[in-house]
Amino acid sequence: MLLPDLSGYRLHKVIDDVDLDGVVVRGLRGSFHRCSTESGLLSVGVYSYGGAELMMAWGYVGEEHCRYNALRQTDGTWAPPRQGCPPVSRVHDGGRVTALTLGEHILPTEPMTGPPSGEARAPGPDAVLPAVGGLGGLGPWPPPAAYAADSGS
């Protein structure tokens, strides 16, 4: 499976300071794209932090969880898509959630004066990263109709 080609989608909405797993991450932006098909309304969320795309999650509108997700790796390439929701975990300090990890990325959950501790960071806003979708696309979506029929919604 490859990433969705966003050239066939329309931008539905953009949300700043998105929450992941019920925790708000200031500066995390979600751009949500939709495409109507015979199988249903497809949705792709592209999440960025500091101007760099970090994750895509997609499936059909109305599904309780992500059908697939893909994370941007620290080298700027996209990891292969995986089934389900992205791997998010909480970082605690004295009982408070101070950050979330999204794969290799660390996202602070409160205002900070410097970058979070640890090796993994979102690529800088000036990093040159491969584009998602566009002419030629990065792969077919939706899946074949036989697979899409069991959408769970």
Side-chain angles (χ1 to χ4, degrees), residues 1-151:
M1 158 146 309
L2 301 173
L3 298 175
D5 176 2
L6 295 179
S7 66
Y9 287 70
R10 66 175 172 76
L11 181 62
H12 173 65
K13 64 182 168 182
V14 176
I15 300 175
D16 289 323
D17 302 332
V18 172
D19 76 86
L20 293 177
D21 271 357
V23 177
V24 173
V25 178
R26 302 241 181 266
L28 182 62
R29 172 175 274 191
S31 299
F32 300 93
H33 308 262
R34 288 187 172 180
C35 179
S36 184
T37 70
E38 290 180 16
S39 300
L41 190 57
L42 300 173
S43 178
V44 178
V46 180
Y47 297 81
S48 59
Y49 186 77
E53 293 175 345
L54 300 182
M55 174 186 70
M56 293 179 72
W58 61 96
Y60 287 89
V61 170
E63 291 182 314
E64 187 174 343
H65 296 286
C66 308
R67 190 174 278 240
Y68 296 99
N69 78 84
L71 298 176
R72 178 86 69 176
Q73 300 174 110
T74 55
D75 68 0
T77 62
W78 285 99
R82 302 171 11 161
Q83 284 190 323
C85 294
V88 176
S89 60
R90 297 172 185 219
V91 177
H92 296 272
D93 181 13
R96 292 183 11 241
V97 176
T98 58
L100 295 178
T101 63
L102 178 61
E104 299 175 343
H105 305 286
I106 299 172
L107 305 173
T109 58
E110 57 186 45
M112 299 182 73
T113 57
S117 60
E119 295 295 314
R121 292 193 174 46
D126 297 326
V128 177
L129 302 172
V132 174
L135 295 175
L138 293 176
W141 177 253
Y147 185 76
D150 72 339
S151 68

